[in-house]
């Protein structure tokens, strides 16, 4: 079932066009991987899905992006509601310089989700458990989140993102700053999360895309070159450029 | 004479630089150089200038006191006090320079002649010695260049010493100032009990003034109570911060988070211009515009308002301080990493929530540091309070009355005629050192807070 449907999306940074007519169908409760060489527009596309491009003054988005029939690329859209529904995990772990508890409680607080202290405690615990971090931090929830290791910080950011029970989580190269063990933990986590959440992940690691995703899209020079089931993309791509990229001949 | 000598040394140093470089190019034709040709030039120039200038400086420092000793030798049998000897020496110098207008005694005339003679000898000796040193050091250095010794290391070592001497000078001057403050303050505290100074509530140094002879110790007791001054200083600083902190912080937040690039580009320099206005301009602005304005408004409301009110001075000082707070807090908030903002926006936080919950707490240590620096600036501010808040040291907490500050009182004490060694004059040093301790304390806290903040993000 389709969760997000993008049609003819064009993105411009000032006069420079970064995305050309991207159309893509992202299925519900699946992991969709976006791969491609640096600067190909995959992160730009990802940031269209929670309107993070709004932060950049010179950025302009054209085309239609629908999530459950709600037009995302519209002035009338309530961006706060959208971002409550579409969480994001960034390349570099970016926990707030607050306690672990406050980091996770941040979203529920600003959206007024928890009615009481007990409810908030429960949300924090569940989120940390889902992010596979609970056992490591349950005795030091009042320590500063930035004091954790890189992999723990990234899982804290995932816990923060899922604390408001989003329907979609966007991940922008979530493992690029992590070591292989932490990467494996995050990948395992992605696998668990997809039971409840739709995940879109941008990654530079082709093996990671192959491991975690069900669908893969290959971007090159701002165009979506090929999109399809991960197995097919990696074993038998239709497009020669895709073939060259995944076999490491360019990019 | 001295000017010619120094110019000569410097010119010679420049010449030897070119000479050394040229020499290196000559050496280059027959053997491998140990460094770039310019190092040969630096080497020669350094050996030319440094020894000669050092000797010159030492000579200039010690010559006057040696000459003085020689002159005053003739007066040792007259059993004179130190001050009288000093007076005689001043007369001798004036006579020698032809500017003396008093009675010329034979003895004085003789001394003046001797002084001129001594000066002449000293000058010739100085020139001779410096020329000798120039010749000696240049020939030594030139031999070294000829032998093609290693040139890079000596030049680097020389530069290191130049830098060391420069920083030593700065440090020594600072220490010297602190100690001179300290010694004068100690002398003041010999006349006035430190307890009376710190806890006394009455400041009226003028009443200790006694023509000839020592002032009455009973009078001294409650003339130098610094409490009204400390109270006034902190009170005015408090009013200033009440104006500066809200406006400064809010404009800092606007500049760093809300203002577009175009607005920021123009608004920030304009705010910083406020910091460039001379404080004396703020002072007469406070005294001539804000003070009467406050008085008028107060009178219209049926309040008793002094023309020189703490409120006017504090408010204008607050305006002066706004750019410190807004500019520094803008800087620390801009320095908060963009990915924290992104993280917050991605959670669905609005701009104001992001500022309140993420940016501001993250930047708080830096903001506190900037506020403490601003407070120390406010406490040390002089011109505005001298001009706008009055000079009578009232102990009051009413912003509409006039009050006075430590800095303003120092000005009052030291302008006009004063006797050195008088407790009234020395009290300025005691006030100075207390002010110094307060601002030092504030600065140390501010810097350590800022440093802690830096460690967190870098």
């Amino acid at each position: 079932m389709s969760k997000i449907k993008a049609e003819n999306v064009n993105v411009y940074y000032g006069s420079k066009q970064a995305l050309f007519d991207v159309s893509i169908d992202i299925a519900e409760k699946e992991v969709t991987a976006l791969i491609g060489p640096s600067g190909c527009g995959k992160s730009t596309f990802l940031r269209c899905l929670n309107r993070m491009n709004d932060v950049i003054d010179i950025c302009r988005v054209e085309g239609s992006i629908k999530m459950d029939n709600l037009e995302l690329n519209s002035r009338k859209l309530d961006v706060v509601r959208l971002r409550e529904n579409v969480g994001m995990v960034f390349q570099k772990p970016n926990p707030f310089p607050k306690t672990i508890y406050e980091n996770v409680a941040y979203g529920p607080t600003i959206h007024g989700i928890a009615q009481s202290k007990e409810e908030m405690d429960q949300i924090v615990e569940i989120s940390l458990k889902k992010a596979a971090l609970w056992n490591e931090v349950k005795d030091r929830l009042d320590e500063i989140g930035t004091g954790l290791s890189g992999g723990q910080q990234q899982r804290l950011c995932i816990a923060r993102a899922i604390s408001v029970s989003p329907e979609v989580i966007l991940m922008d190269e979530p493992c690029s700053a992590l070591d292989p063990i932490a990467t494996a933990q995050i990948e395992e986590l992605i696998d668990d999360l997809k039971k409840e959440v739709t995940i879109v992940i941008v990654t530079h690691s082709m093996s990671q895309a192959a491991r975690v995703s069900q669908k893969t899209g290959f971007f090159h020079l701002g165009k979506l070159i090929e999109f399809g089931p991960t197995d097919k993309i990696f074993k038998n791509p239709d497009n020669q450029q895709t073939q060259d990229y995944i076999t490491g001949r360019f990019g | 004479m001295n000017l010619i000598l120094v110019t000569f040394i410097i010119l010679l140093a420049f010449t030897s630089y070119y000479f050394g470089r040229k020499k290196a190019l000559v050496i280059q034709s027959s053997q491998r150089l140990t460094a770039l040709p310019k190092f040969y030039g630096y080497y020669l120039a350094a050996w030319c200038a440094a020894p000669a200038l050092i000797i010159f400086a030492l000579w200039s420092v010690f010559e006057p006191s040696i000459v003085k000793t020689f002159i005053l030798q003739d007066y040792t049998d007259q059993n004179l006090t130190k001050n009288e000897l000093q007076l005689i020496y001043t007369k001798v110098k004036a006579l020698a320079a032809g500017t003396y207008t008093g009675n010329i005694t034979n003895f004085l005339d003789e001394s003046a002649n001797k002084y001129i003679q001594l000066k002449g000898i000293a000058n010739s000796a100085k020139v001779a010695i410096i020329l000798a040193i120039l010749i000696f050091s240049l020939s030594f250095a030139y031999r070294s260049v000829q032998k093609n010794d290693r040139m890079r290391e000596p030049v680097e070592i020389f530069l290191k010493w130049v830098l060391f001497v420069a920083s030593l000078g700065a440090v020594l001057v600072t220490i010297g100032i602190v100690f001179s403050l300290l010694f004068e303050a100690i002398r003041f505290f010999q006349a006035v009990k430190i307890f009376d100074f710190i806890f006394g509530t009455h400041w009226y140094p003028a009443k200790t003034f006694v023509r000839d002879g020592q002032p009455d110790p009973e009078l001294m007791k409650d003339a130098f109570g610094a409490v009204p001054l400390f109270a006034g200083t902190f009170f005015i600083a408090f009013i200033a911060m009440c104006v500066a902190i809200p406006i400064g912080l809010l404009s800092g937040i606007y500049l760093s988070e809300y203002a577009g690039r175009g607005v920021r580009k123009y608004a920030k320099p304009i705010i910083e211009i406020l910091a460039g206005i001379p404080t004396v301009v703020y002072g007469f602005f406070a005294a001539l515009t804000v003070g009467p304005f406050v008085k008028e408004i107060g009178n219209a409301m049926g309040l008793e308002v002094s023309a020189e009110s703490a409120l006017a001075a504090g408010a204008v000082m607050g305006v002066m301080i706004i750019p410190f707070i807004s500019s520094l807090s803008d800087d620390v908030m801009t320095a908060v990493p963009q990915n924290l903002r992104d993280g917050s926006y991605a959670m669905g936080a609005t701009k104001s929530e992001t500022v309140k919950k993420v940016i501001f707490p993250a930047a708080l240590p830096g903001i506190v540091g900037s506020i403490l620096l601003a407070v120390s600036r406010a406490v040390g501010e002089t011109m505005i309070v001298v001009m706008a808040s009055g000079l009578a040291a009232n102990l009051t907490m009413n912003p509409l009355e006039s009050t006075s500050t430590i800095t303003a009182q120092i000005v009052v004490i030291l302008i006009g005629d004063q006797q050195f060694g008088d407790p009234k004059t020395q009290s300025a040093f005691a006030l100075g050192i207390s002010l110094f301790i307060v601002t030092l304390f504030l600065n140390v806290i501010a810097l350590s807070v800022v440093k802690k903040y830096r460690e967190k993000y870098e």
Side-chain angles (χ1 to χ4, degrees):
Chain A
M1 212 195 111
S2 167
K3 180 76 185 169
I4 299 172
K5 194 173 172 65
E7 272 171 353
N8 299 325
V9 175
N10 289 289
V11 177
Y12 305 84
Y13 289 114
S15 58
K16 189 177 164 287
Q17 189 164 4
L19 280 184
F20 298 84
D21 284 327
V22 173
S23 299
I24 197 167
D25 244 332
I26 291 164
E28 193 170 11
K29 292 181 185 167
E30 268 190 5
V31 179
T32 304
L34 306 178
I35 60 171
S38 295
C40 67
K42 54 196 189 308
S43 291
T44 300
F45 179 72
L46 194 74
R47 291 166 68 94
C48 290
L49 303 183
N50 67 344
R51 290 278 293 268
M52 277 304 277
N53 286 327
D54 291 9
V55 178
I56 303 163
D57 290 338
I58 54 166
C59 185
R60 189 158 52 84
V61 181
E62 285 173 4
S64 152
I65 305 169
K66 284 207 163 92
M67 186 171 104
D68 298 331
N69 288 324
L70 174 74
E71 176 56 56
L72 301 189
N73 190 23
S74 151
R75 271 171 193 278
K76 283 182 262 169
L77 179 86
D78 180 356
V79 177
V80 168
R81 277 285 154 269
L82 169 70
R83 289 177 185 162
E84 189 183 347
N85 273 328
V86 182
M88 189 165 195
V89 177
F90 295 83
Q91 184 171 359
K92 204 173 149 225
N94 60 349
F96 302 131
K98 297 168 174 282
T99 66
I100 294 169
Y101 184 96
E102 286 168 335
N103 262 286
V104 182
Y106 187 77
T109 309
I110 57 179
H111 295 296
I113 289 171
Q115 304 304 323
S116 63
K117 176 86 176 80
E118 291 73 39
E119 206 177 328
M120 184 64 90
D121 289 347
Q122 213 172 3
I123 291 173
V124 170
E125 183 176 341
I126 290 170
S127 307
L128 284 169
K129 275 181 176 162
K130 280 187 189 163
L133 191 61
W134 176 250
N135 287 332
E136 291 160 58
V137 300
K138 64 182 172 199
D139 300 322
R140 46 184 180 132
L141 291 175
D142 53 353
E143 281 178 28
I144 298 293
T146 40
L148 297 171
S149 75
Q152 288 173 327
Q153 285 189 20
Q154 195 61 303
R155 276 180 282 149
L156 179 60
C157 291
I158 293 175
R160 184 175 71 191
I162 58 187
S163 63
V164 291
S165 320
E167 295 160 26
V168 180
I169 293 182
L170 311 175
M171 296 188 171
D172 191 355
E173 299 177 41
C175 301
S176 63
L178 305 182
D179 65 43
I181 295 169
T183 301
Q185 286 172 324
I186 303 277
E187 286 179 6
E188 210 172 300
L189 189 54
I190 291 172
D191 227 39
D192 286 341
L193 288 175
K194 77 160 192 272
K195 287 169 206 152
E196 297 166 33
V197 196
T198 306
I199 294 175
V200 186
I201 178 171
V202 162
T203 176
H204 268 294
S205 154
M206 260 141 345
S207 57
Q208 183 172 62
R211 280 194 300 269
V212 301
S213 71
Q214 284 73 53
K215 298 261 174 57
T216 297
F218 170 61
F219 280 76
H220 185 48
L221 297 177
K223 295 189 178 92
L224 179 63
I225 305 292
E226 190 169 351
F227 180 61
T230 301
D231 272 356
K232 183 168 182 304
I233 296 278
F234 278 89
K235 291 196 179 116
N236 183 24
D238 294 332
N239 190 293
Q240 186 58 38
Q241 276 183 311
T242 315
Q243 172 81 26
D244 289 349
Y245 183 71
I246 60 173
T247 52
R249 248 170 275 172
F250 89 97
Chain B
M1 183 68 214
N2 286 342
L3 191 67
I4 295 173
L5 202 57
V6 171
T7 321
F8 175 70
I9 296 171
I10 289 169
L11 281 177
L12 195 63
F14 273 105
T15 320
S16 42
Y17 167 76
Y18 286 104
F19 186 72
R21 214 176 54 169
K22 209 157 209 172
K23 185 73 192 162
L25 295 174
V26 174
I27 297 171
Q28 202 171 22
S29 58
S30 58
Q31 50 185 305
R32 209 184 123 88
L33 289 181
T34 55
L36 290 176
K38 62 179 180 187
F39 277 90
Y40 290 72
Y42 291 145
Y43 182 80
L44 221 50
W47 268 111
C48 169
L53 286 178
I54 289 171
I55 296 295
F56 177 81
L58 290 177
W59 191 287
S60 308
V61 170
F62 290 111
E63 191 200 86
S65 58
I66 292 171
V67 171
K68 185 177 172 184
T69 323
F70 272 113
I71 296 287
L72 294 180
Q73 242 171 16
D74 303 343
Y75 295 85
T76 41
D77 50 342
Q78 291 185 19
N79 225 348
L80 297 168
T81 66
K82 212 176 151 193
N83 283 347
E84 282 166 326
L85 281 173
Q86 179 62 42
L87 189 67
I88 288 173
Y89 186 60
T90 315
K91 283 180 185 172
V92 170
K93 273 209 299 194
L95 192 56
T99 55
Y100 184 64
T101 50
N103 275 346
I104 303 173
T105 62
N106 274 346
F107 211 57
L108 214 54
D109 199 36
E110 221 169 272
S111 291
N113 282 334
K114 190 177 166 190
Y115 177 82
I116 294 169
Q117 206 183 349
L118 275 173
K119 273 283 182 192
I121 296 172
N123 267 335
S124 328
K126 179 161 72 176
V127 172
I129 287 180
I130 283 177
L131 283 180
I133 284 170
L134 277 175
I135 292 167
F136 179 76
S137 55
L138 266 177
S139 60
F140 169 79
Y142 180 68
R143 201 165 304 153
S144 208
V145 167
Q146 245 180 346
K147 281 195 291 182
N148 197 12
D149 281 345
R150 290 152 69 114
M151 288 293 139
R152 239 179 262 134
E153 290 87 343
V155 171
E156 291 296 321
I157 290 169
F158 172 74
L159 286 177
K160 188 183 95 179
W161 280 99
V162 169
L163 299 176
F164 173 76
V165 168
S167 28
L168 188 72
V171 171
L172 287 183
V173 167
T174 312
I175 292 175
I177 290 173
V178 172
F179 271 86
S180 81
L181 269 182
L182 201 61
F183 286 133
E184 291 299 326
I186 286 171
R187 281 172 59 191
F188 170 73
F189 287 127
Q190 282 164 354
V192 177
K193 281 203 208 93
I194 195 161
F195 183 87
D196 291 338
F197 176 73
I198 296 178
F199 297 103
T201 55
H202 191 76
W203 180 267
Y204 192 67
K207 81 173 177 190
T208 65
F209 181 76
V210 182
R211 205 174 189 76
D212 303 323
Q214 287 300 307
D216 179 7
E218 269 312 300
L219 278 178
M220 303 276 286
K221 215 174 158 203
D222 59 278
F224 293 105
V227 169
L229 302 186
F230 281 104
T233 301
F234 286 109
F235 185 48
I236 290 182
F238 174 77
I239 295 172
M241 298 321 279
C242 285
V243 173
I245 290 179
I247 299 179
L249 270 188
L250 294 180
S251 71
I253 289 172
Y254 176 74
L255 282 179
S256 75
E257 303 301 318
Y258 288 85
R261 240 190 295 173
V263 176
R264 191 166 190 261
K265 200 170 126 196
Y266 294 105
K268 202 173 175 191
I270 288 174
I271 292 177
E272 278 167 0
I273 284 175
L274 278 180
I277 297 175
T279 55
V280 70
V281 175
Y282 280 112
F284 63 69
F285 176 63
L288 301 181
T289 311
V290 180
F293 179 70
V294 169
K295 184 178 162 77
E296 224 166 85
I297 294 207
N299 287 346
M301 285 159 56
L303 292 168
E304 191 76 19
V305 183
S306 153
E308 294 175 319
S309 62
L311 184 63
V316 172
M317 195 192 284
V319 172
M320 181 194 81
I321 287 168
I322 287 171
F324 283 83
I325 296 181
S326 80
S327 190
L328 278 171
S329 60
D330 169 36
D331 287 344
V332 290
M333 283 189 280
T334 310
V336 172
Q338 179 62 31
N339 67 13
L340 287 185
R341 276 183 202 100
D342 285 349
S344 176
Y345 292 142
M347 289 305 300
T350 62
K351 208 155 208 174
S352 67
E353 283 168 335
T354 303
V355 169
K356 199 174 84 192
K357 298 194 162 193
V358 177
I359 312 284
F360 192 76
L364 191 62
I367 290 170
V368 170
S370 76
I371 289 173
L372 286 175
L373 285 178
V375 171
S376 77
R377 174 81 206 236
V379 167
E381 171 51 36
T382 311
M383 276 328 286
I384 294 176
V385 281
V386 168
M387 295 169 89
S389 88
L391 301 173
N394 298 325
L395 184 55
T396 176
M397 280 296 141
N398 181 355
L400 303 176
E401 273 181 44
S402 79
T403 181
S404 192
T405 66
I406 299 175
T407 50
Q409 285 307 313
I410 293 177
V411 172
V412 173
I413 291 165
L414 294 185
I415 49 177
D417 290 336
Q418 77 263 166
Q419 277 177 293
F420 219 77
D422 180 26
K424 178 173 165 255
T425 310
Q426 284 166 345
S427 70
F429 289 92
L431 289 177
I433 194 129
S434 5
L435 190 62
F436 171 71
I437 290 169
V438 170
T439 48
L440 181 74
F441 188 64
L442 286 171
N443 283 352
V444 167
I445 297 177
L447 287 177
S448 68
V449 167
V450 171
K451 195 173 151 216
K452 205 171 151 201
Y453 163 78
R454 284 220 184 98
E455 279 162 1
K456 209 158 150 190
Y457 281 108
E458 281 169 12

